[in-house]
Coordinates of all heavy atoms in Angstrom, one line a residue:
A302 N -11.8 26.4 20.6 CA -11.7 25.6 19.5 C -10.9 26.2 18.4 O -10.2 25.5 17.6 CB -13.1 25.2 18.9
T303 N -10.8 27.5 18.3 CA -10.0 28.2 17.3 C -8.5 27.8 17.3 O -7.9 27.6 16.3 CB -10.2 29.7 17.4 OG1 -11.6 30.1 17.2 CG2 -9.3 30.5 16.3
Y304 N -8.0 27.8 18.5 CA -6.6 27.4 18.7 C -6.2 26.1 18.1 O -5.3 26.1 17.2 CB -6.3 27.5 20.2 CG -5.0 27.0 20.7 CD1 -3.8 27.1 20.0 CD2 -4.9 26.3 21.9 CE1 -2.6 26.6 20.4 CE2 -3.7 25.8 22.4 CZ -2.5 26.0 21.6 OH -1.3 25.5 22.1
P305 N -6.8 25.0 18.5 CA -6.4 23.7 17.8 C -6.8 23.6 16.4 O -6.2 22.9 15.6 CB -7.1 22.6 18.7 CG -8.3 23.3 19.3 CD -7.8 24.7 19.6
L306 N -7.9 24.4 16.0 CA -8.2 24.3 14.5 C -7.2 25.0 13.7 O -6.8 24.4 12.6 CB -9.6 25.1 14.3 CG -10.8 24.3 14.7 CD1 -12.1 25.2 14.6 CD2 -11.0 23.1 13.7
I307 N -6.7 26.2 14.1 CA -5.6 26.8 13.4 C -4.3 26.0 13.4 O -3.6 25.8 12.5 CB -5.4 28.2 13.9 CG1 -6.6 29.1 13.7 CG2 -4.1 28.9 13.3 CD1 -7.0 29.3 12.3
W308 N -4.1 25.5 14.6 CA -2.9 24.6 14.8 C -3.0 23.4 13.9 O -2.0 23.0 13.2 CB -3.0 24.1 16.3 CG -2.0 23.1 16.8 CD1 -1.0 22.5 16.1 CD2 -1.8 22.7 18.1 NE1 -0.3 21.6 16.9 CE2 -0.7 21.8 18.2 CE3 -2.4 23.0 19.3 CZ2 -0.3 21.2 19.4 CZ3 -2.0 22.4 20.5 CH2 -1.0 21.5 20.5
G309 N -4.2 22.8 13.7 CA -4.3 21.6 12.9 C -4.2 22.0 11.4 O -3.4 21.4 10.6
I310 N -5.0 23.0 11.0 CA -5.0 23.4 9.5 C -3.7 23.9 9.1 O -3.2 23.6 8.0 CB -6.1 24.4 9.3 CG1 -7.5 23.8 9.5 CG2 -6.0 25.0 7.9 CD1 -8.6 24.8 9.5
G311 N -3.0 24.7 10.0 CA -1.7 25.3 9.6 C -0.7 24.3 9.3 O 0.2 24.6 8.5
Q312 N -0.8 23.1 9.9 CA 0.3 22.1 9.7 C 0.3 21.5 8.3 O 1.3 20.9 7.9 CB 0.2 21.0 10.8 CG 0.6 21.6 12.2 CD 0.4 20.5 13.3 OE1 1.3 19.9 13.7 NE2 -0.9 20.4 13.7
L313 N -0.8 21.7 7.6 CA -0.8 21.3 6.2 C 0.3 22.0 5.4 O 1.0 21.4 4.6 CB -2.2 21.5 5.5 CG -3.3 20.6 5.8 CD1 -4.6 21.0 5.2 CD2 -2.9 19.2 5.3
G314 N 0.5 23.3 5.8 CA 1.5 24.1 5.1 C 2.9 24.0 5.8 O 3.9 23.8 5.2
T315 N 2.9 24.1 7.1 CA 4.1 24.1 7.9 C 4.8 22.7 7.8 O 6.1 22.7 7.9 CB 3.9 24.5 9.3 OG1 3.0 23.6 10.0 CG2 3.3 25.9 9.4
G316 N 4.1 21.7 7.7 CA 4.7 20.3 7.6 C 5.5 20.3 6.3 O 6.7 19.8 6.3
K317 N 5.0 20.7 5.2 CA 5.7 20.7 4.0 C 6.9 21.7 4.0 O 7.9 21.4 3.5 CB 4.7 21.1 2.8 CG 5.3 20.9 1.4 CD 5.7 19.4 1.2 CE 6.2 19.2 -0.2 NZ 6.6 17.8 -0.4
M318 N 6.7 22.8 4.7 CA 7.8 23.8 4.9 C 9.0 23.1 5.6 O 10.1 23.4 5.2 CB 7.3 25.0 5.7 CG 6.4 26.0 4.9 SD 5.7 27.2 6.0 CE 7.2 28.0 6.6
A319 N 8.7 22.3 6.5 CA 9.8 21.6 7.3 C 10.6 20.7 6.4 O 11.7 20.4 6.8 CB 9.2 20.8 8.4
D320 N 10.1 20.3 5.2 CA 10.9 19.5 4.3 C 11.8 20.3 3.4 O 12.7 19.8 2.8 CB 10.0 18.7 3.4 CG 9.2 17.6 4.1 OD1 9.8 17.0 5.0 OD2 8.1 17.3 3.8
R321 N 11.6 21.7 3.4 CA 12.3 22.5 2.5 C 13.2 23.6 3.2 O 14.2 24.0 2.7 CB 11.4 23.2 1.6 CG 10.6 22.3 0.7 CD 9.8 23.1 -0.4 NE 10.6 24.0 -1.2 CZ 10.2 24.9 -1.9 NH1 8.9 25.2 -2.0 NH2 11.1 25.6 -2.7
F322 N 12.7 24.1 4.3 CA 13.3 25.3 5.0 C 13.9 24.9 6.3 O 13.9 23.8 6.8 CB 12.3 26.4 5.1 CG 11.6 26.8 3.9 CD1 10.3 26.9 3.7 CD2 12.4 27.2 2.8 CE1 9.7 27.3 2.6 CE2 11.8 27.6 1.6 CZ 10.4 27.6 1.5
S323 N 14.5 25.9 6.9 CA 15.3 25.7 8.2 C 14.4 25.3 9.3 O 13.5 26.0 9.8 CB 16.0 27.0 8.6 OG 16.5 27.0 9.9
K324 N 14.6 24.1 9.8 CA 13.8 23.6 10.9 C 14.1 24.4 12.2 O 13.2 24.7 13.0 CB 14.1 22.1 11.1 CG 13.6 21.2 10.0 CD 13.9 19.7 10.2 CE 13.4 18.8 9.2 NZ 14.0 19.1 7.8
K325 N 15.4 24.8 12.3 CA 15.8 25.6 13.5 C 15.0 26.9 13.5 O 14.5 27.3 14.5 CB 17.3 25.8 13.4 CG 17.8 26.7 14.5 CD 19.3 26.9 14.5 CE 19.7 27.9 15.5 NZ 21.2 28.1 15.6
K326 N 15.0 27.6 12.4 CA 14.3 28.9 12.3 C 12.8 28.8 12.5 O 12.2 29.6 13.1 CB 14.7 29.6 11.0 CG 16.1 30.1 11.0 CD 16.5 30.7 9.7 CE 18.0 31.1 9.6 NZ 18.4 31.6 8.3
M327 N 12.2 27.7 12.0 CA 10.8 27.5 12.2 C 10.5 27.2 13.7 O 9.5 27.8 14.2 CB 10.3 26.3 11.3 CG 10.3 26.6 9.8 SD 9.7 25.2 8.9 CE 8.1 25.0 9.4
I328 N 11.3 26.4 14.3 CA 11.0 26.2 15.8 C 11.3 27.4 16.6 O 10.4 27.8 17.5 CB 11.9 25.0 16.3 CG1 11.5 23.7 15.6 CG2 11.8 24.9 17.8 CD1 12.5 22.6 15.9
F329 N 12.3 28.2 16.3 CA 12.6 29.4 17.0 C 11.5 30.4 16.9 O 10.9 31.0 17.8 CB 13.9 30.0 16.6 CG 14.1 31.5 17.0 CD1 14.4 31.8 18.3 CD2 14.0 32.5 16.1 CE1 14.5 33.1 18.7 CE2 14.2 33.8 16.5 CZ 14.4 34.1 17.8
G330 N 11.1 30.6 15.6 CA 10.0 31.6 15.3 C 8.7 31.2 15.9 O 7.9 32.1 16.5
G331 N 8.3 29.9 15.8 CA 7.1 29.5 16.4 C 7.0 29.6 17.9 O 6.0 30.0 18.5
M332 N 8.1 29.2 18.6 CA 8.1 29.4 20.1 C 8.0 30.8 20.5 O 7.3 31.2 21.4 CB 9.3 28.7 20.6 CG 9.4 27.2 20.4 SD 8.1 26.3 21.1 CE 8.3 26.5 22.9

């Protein structure tokens, strides 16, 4: 359950980051 919980909660911040920062670098770093 920890995996999807962090996945879910984390997107509150990372979603907003995607409006401001490099989408390419976010996808590369996350993968």
Side-chain angles (χ1 to χ4, degrees):
T303 298
Y304 168 37
L306 281 171
I307 297 299
W308 177 352
I310 294 170
Q312 288 175 104
L313 280 176
T315 60
K317 190 62 179 176
M318 286 171 62
D320 290 324
R321 297 187 59 194
F322 302 129
S323 168
K324 294 179 176 66
K325 174 179 177 176
K326 290 176 182 177
M327 288 180 65
I328 294 172
F329 166 71
M332 296 301 293

